[in-house]
Amino acid sequence: MTPGSRPPMMTRPDGSPVRAVVADDEVYLSDLLRMALRHEGWEVWTAANGQEALTAIRESEPDVIVLDVMMPGIDGMEVLTRLRAAHVDTPVLFLTAKDAVEDRIAGISAGGDDYVTKPFILEEVIARLRGMVRRHVATAAQSETRLVVGDLILDEEAYEVTRAGISLSLTAKEFELLRYLMRNPRRVLSKGQILDRVWSYDFGGKSSVVELYISYLRKKVDTVGEPMIHTVRGVGYTIRPA
């Protein structure tokens, strides 16, 4: 990489954009980080307090979290404590005006992965976040051989799918479509997104092929139990536990 050039764009194991949650009650700072991370090609959710942060994290399932320590209501330390208690291992970068050694130790001891004091250099924070995401995504790529949504299990290595212990026979394209849905549980995916990921950008067919394969999947997945694959009219499709 030549001096001054941008590093290659990072993605999740399935090729979708990296996701980040930035929680800070200083709107200027959260907007600044949001714009910088979107420039990296990431999807970014922002929050102005701890409760909003917990909601954003639950809905987006991010690859990295930026937490301001001093937020109204639930502070950053409490947010992290709740996440780790719920076994959420997403890396966390703390932002704070506190510079005392004991505060740094408290942040790391609570399960934080890095600690930056305000005012900060934007480029340094972005570089640290890139490093955190790189390690997290690499670990996820190694461990994500089994995708689980409710009682539906997809084993990428064995190329097997079961629901409630019943084996489902899928074609190669059905398997790819289900894998993409299961890697984004509860997230509504548009026909365009599905075409791009499952049929690739150079696919010359019509979006109706998505509807057709969704119907194929439903006949195999949703006949075993309560429906898991849902249509959000005018938006796209999503999968969630029954």
Side-chain angles (χ1 to χ4, degrees):
M1 188 170 63
T2 59
S5 63
R6 290 184 60 196
M9 187 173 292
M10 300 174 63
T11 62
R12 310 181 98 201
D14 66 346
S16 62
V18 168
R19 301 177 194 170
V21 168
V22 177
D24 196 312
D25 60 337
E26 295 184 62
V27 178
Y28 167 73
L29 289 181
S30 60
D31 284 347
L32 181 66
L33 284 168
R34 179 179 59 186
M35 289 188 291
L37 293 176
R38 283 183 174 175
H39 186 64
E40 296 285 315
W42 298 7
E43 293 183 350
V44 185
W45 285 256
T46 59
N49 56 59
Q51 188 57 58
E52 289 182 6
L54 290 170
T55 300
I57 292 165
R58 182 177 65 251
E59 293 178 351
S60 65
E61 297 184 346
D63 302 292
V64 70
I65 302 167
V66 180
L67 285 178
D68 178 25
V69 173
M70 301 299 293
M71 288 189 293
I74 305 171
D75 65 19
M77 292 289 186
E78 177 61 22
V79 169
L80 181 58
T81 298
R82 295 189 186 188
L83 292 178
R84 297 303 187 240
H87 307 291
V88 176
D89 62 354
T90 306
V92 170
L93 172 74
F94 275 122
L95 292 178
T96 182
K98 296 183 176 181
D99 194 23
V101 173
E102 56 266 28
D103 292 320
R104 292 173 181 262
I105 294 174
I108 301 301
S109 298
D113 298 86
D114 206 346
Y115 200 105
V116 175
T117 56
K118 303 176 184 178
F120 54 79
I121 299 173
L122 181 61
E123 290 79 4
E124 178 187 356
V125 173
I126 299 303
R128 292 192 185 200
L129 292 175
R130 283 196 207 108
M132 293 166 68
V133 169
R134 189 176 295 109
R135 292 187 292 273
H136 180 68
V137 168
T139 301
Q142 293 173 359
S143 62
E144 282 187 3
T145 58
R146 291 177 79 251
L147 302 177
V148 180
V149 177
D151 59 357
L152 182 65
I153 301 173
L154 183 148
D155 190 320
E156 294 182 301
E157 287 190 349
Y159 213 78
E160 295 176 346
V161 177
T162 61
R163 182 172 183 194
I166 300 173
S167 179
L168 306 180
S169 178
L170 305 185
T171 66
K173 195 59 67 176
E174 290 168 351
F175 187 90
E176 289 181 35
L177 175 56
L178 182 61
R179 174 165 53 188
Y180 184 45
L181 291 171
M182 291 181 69
R183 281 184 168 175
N184 295 274
R186 301 181 183 276
R187 183 184 180 197
V188 180
L189 302 169
S190 69
K191 290 181 182 178
Q193 288 174 308
I194 294 173
L195 281 173
D196 289 344
R197 302 299 179 189
V198 179
W199 277 269
S200 78
Y201 288 95
D202 58 359
F203 176 71
K206 298 180 180 179
S207 61
S208 58
V209 72
V210 176
E211 298 175 14
L212 182 62
Y213 273 82
I214 287 289
S215 70
Y216 291 161
L217 274 185
R218 280 179 168 145
K219 289 176 182 177
K220 297 180 178 182
V221 173
D222 288 349
T223 54
V224 177
E226 291 296 317
M228 296 182 68
I229 302 171
H230 303 273
T231 300
V232 179
R233 294 191 180 278
V235 184
Y237 303 95
T238 185
I239 191 169
R240 57 176 180 264

